[in-house]
Amino acid sequence: MNRPSPTGLPGDALRALREYPRRAPLTLVYVCVLLAGHAWLGCVLSAERAAGVLGYASTNLDNLRDHPLSALAGSVLFFDGTLTDVASPGFVGTFITLGLGVCCFLARAEYRWGKRRAVAVFLGGHVAATLLTAAVIVVALRYGWYPAAVRESLDFGISYGAQTVLAAGTPALPRRGRPLWAVFVLAWPLGGAEWSGPLPDFTTVGHLTAALIGFALPAVPALRRRRVRGGRPPGAPGSPAPEHCAG
């Protein structure tokens, strides 16, 4: 005799976990890569070698001038934060960027839009926010708002791409919750911001830029069309029912 499936929130959570590899296989692989990279830096490499790897992958001005592609690509292989110190601000950032941004919203984007468009949104947000922030840094250095050392500051991680998908996923939320979610996406980077003249620190500028990019993306026609599964147009006999909210 088959056991009845759990109902309610626990049942929905178990069902989502079982379906996760099928619904978002690329996101699952990416999460595994991020966790492996985090373990490699923290458990395998010495502190000096780990600092060297992150220094090379950092998307600061010097690296963007010397090896831009390597810096942009290497930066998204690691996340900046902690998985163990749950009382620290670093864990909050990890929960938002890795937990909500990648594990939830990137997975949903992959299921809703398909692998290519989800990757384009995530990486496009990462690259665009990084380059726009670099331009802000150049201007800020010219006017003395940032110290000269910012040119070689450590700046790596998934947070710009995660911030983009967090913002881009806003229309999929229930209508009443969208304004509150938009406020959260814009506000959380400002919680620990440090101001230099008229500007917050450059990472806050990057997060806000990525959020604005994400909010604008749902207007792109290619992202307004859901991925057609099974080769049948929506509404055709045997096609899946329309999706109304985040799964």
Side-chain angles (χ1 to χ4, degrees), residues 132-182:
L132 289 171
T133 302
V136 171
I137 293 174
V138 170
V139 173
L141 286 172
R142 183 175 301 171
Y143 286 95
W145 296 333
Y146 287 164
V150 77
R151 299 188 60 91
E152 53 185 13
S153 295
L154 198 62
D155 183 25
F156 68 94
I158 60 174
S159 58
Y160 293 172
Q163 184 80 338
T164 303
V165 294
L166 285 172
T170 303
L173 299 175
R175 189 176 300 274
R176 291 182 180 179
R178 293 174 193 173
L180 184 61
W181 179 256

Side-chain angles (χ1 to χ4, degrees), residues 15-36:
R15 192 177 306 110
L17 286 175
R18 287 198 303 267
E19 295 178 355
Y20 197 98
R22 177 182 62 82
R23 292 164 64 100
L26 189 62
T27 301
L28 180 60
V29 171
Y30 183 45
V31 171
C32 292
V33 169
L34 291 172
L35 293 176

